[in-house]
Amino acid sequence: RKEVEQDPGPFNVPEGATVAFNCTYSNSASQSFFWYRQDCRKEPKLLMSVYSSGNEDGRFTAQLNRASQYISLLIRDSKLSDSATYLCVVNPVYNFNKFYFGSGTKLNVKP
Amino acid sequence: DVKVTQSSRYLVKRTGEKVFLECVQDMDHENMFWYRQDPGLGLRLIYFSYDVKMKEKGDIPEGYSVSREKKERFSLILESASTNQTSMYLCASSLWSTEGGKNIQYFGAGTRLSVL
């Protein structure tokens, strides 16, 4: 079983829509969680860290559900520029210097 | 801003050639990583280094070696390139940390390697 799993999509949504992705992780002791954004043929860039209490950054909200072992990313009022692949990243508790990546969820925002 | 610089964006090599991919970071990070990224497989860790001259194998080290002689530089070496090593190679760095959330990874722009 993979450490981190994501629905590859693509999610095709119109501008202005709200869209949510989930990411499940297998190690219940995982401690740190991140969402990265990757544009086509570019490197991944940090979108946001995910805190236990949930956190928001503008139109983006990240949540952690430890009981069900998933994290989510909610994007409100989607923009064309949000089109990208979103990668979920997890640190195991025994090693904050090791990272497990999901394969990514592709989002296409259409006019 | 953290800067991670990879020496080449695109590289074309022949089967059997020795290939060097260079990565430099300017933030005094202890950790440096080499990944490859292939469609449908996501990022897979090749090697990881947490200090000068220290290295650990990742998930797919076969056919690769690494060198870290200076803190800021981490090199990936393909001893004898093969066509199945055609891929996007990404270097990353992060702080060493015992606290979650302090250890954000920063990536270089990637090297797209084609082995013919």
Side-chain angles (χ1 to χ4, degrees), chain B residues 60-113:
Chain B
I60 50 162
E62 297 78 20
Y64 303 95
S65 61
V66 290
S67 171
R68 189 144 181 225
E69 297 296 318
K70 294 185 177 181
K71 191 175 185 179
E72 68 271 17
R73 187 180 296 270
F74 192 35
S75 303
L76 180 70
I77 303 147
L78 285 66
E79 296 290 343
S80 177
S82 63
T83 53
N84 63 12
Q85 292 179 308
T86 292
S87 187
M88 168 75 131
Y89 289 87
L90 287 158
C91 175
S93 74
S94 72
L95 283 171
W96 172 268
S97 177
T98 55
E99 293 181 56
K102 305 276 186 195
N103 52 340
I104 294 164
Q105 278 196 319
Y106 297 90
F107 286 85
T111 296
R112 198 163 287 277
L113 173 67

Side-chain angles (χ1 to χ4, degrees), chain A residues 36-38 42-46 87, chain B residues 37 43 90 107:
Chain A
Y36 277 72
R37 172 200 168 118
Q38 186 172 24
K42 297 281 184 74
E43 75 273 24
K45 292 185 179 176
L46 180 71
L87 304 175
Chain B
Q37 187 175 30
L43 272 80
L90 287 158
F107 286 85

Side-chain angles (χ1 to χ4, degrees), chain B:
Chain B
D1 270 358
V2 174
K3 190 149 180 159
V4 180
T5 304
Q6 293 184 230
S7 53
S8 306
R9 291 297 304 274
Y10 300 94
L11 216 49
V12 179
K13 295 292 181 181
R14 296 203 176 277
T15 303
E17 278 193 78
K18 190 168 186 175
V19 182
F20 293 86
L21 302 183
E22 305 284 347
C23 176
V24 177
Q25 50 95 2
D26 66 357
M27 281 302 290
D28 203 34
H29 284 169
E30 292 86 359
N31 298 334
M32 294 189 77
F33 307 80
W34 275 106
Y35 295 91
R36 64 177 281 177
Q37 187 175 30
D38 301 287
L41 297 176
L43 272 80
R44 293 181 291 166
L45 181 65
I46 305 172
Y47 267 98
F48 157 57
S49 169
Y50 54 91
D51 202 352
V52 174
K53 296 192 187 296
M54 306 303 288
K55 63 186 178 187
E56 281 189 19
K57 291 181 180 178
D59 302 315
I60 50 162
E62 297 78 20
Y64 303 95
S65 61
V66 290
S67 171
R68 189 144 181 225
E69 297 296 318
K70 294 185 177 181
K71 191 175 185 179
E72 68 271 17
R73 187 180 296 270
F74 192 35
S75 303
L76 180 70
I77 303 147
L78 285 66
E79 296 290 343
S80 177
S82 63
T83 53
N84 63 12
Q85 292 179 308
T86 292
S87 187
M88 168 75 131
Y89 289 87
L90 287 158
C91 175
S93 74
S94 72
L95 283 171
W96 172 268
S97 177
T98 55
E99 293 181 56
K102 305 276 186 195
N103 52 340
I104 294 164
Q105 278 196 319
Y106 297 90
F107 286 85
T111 296
R112 198 163 287 277
L113 173 67
S114 295
V115 182
L116 306 178

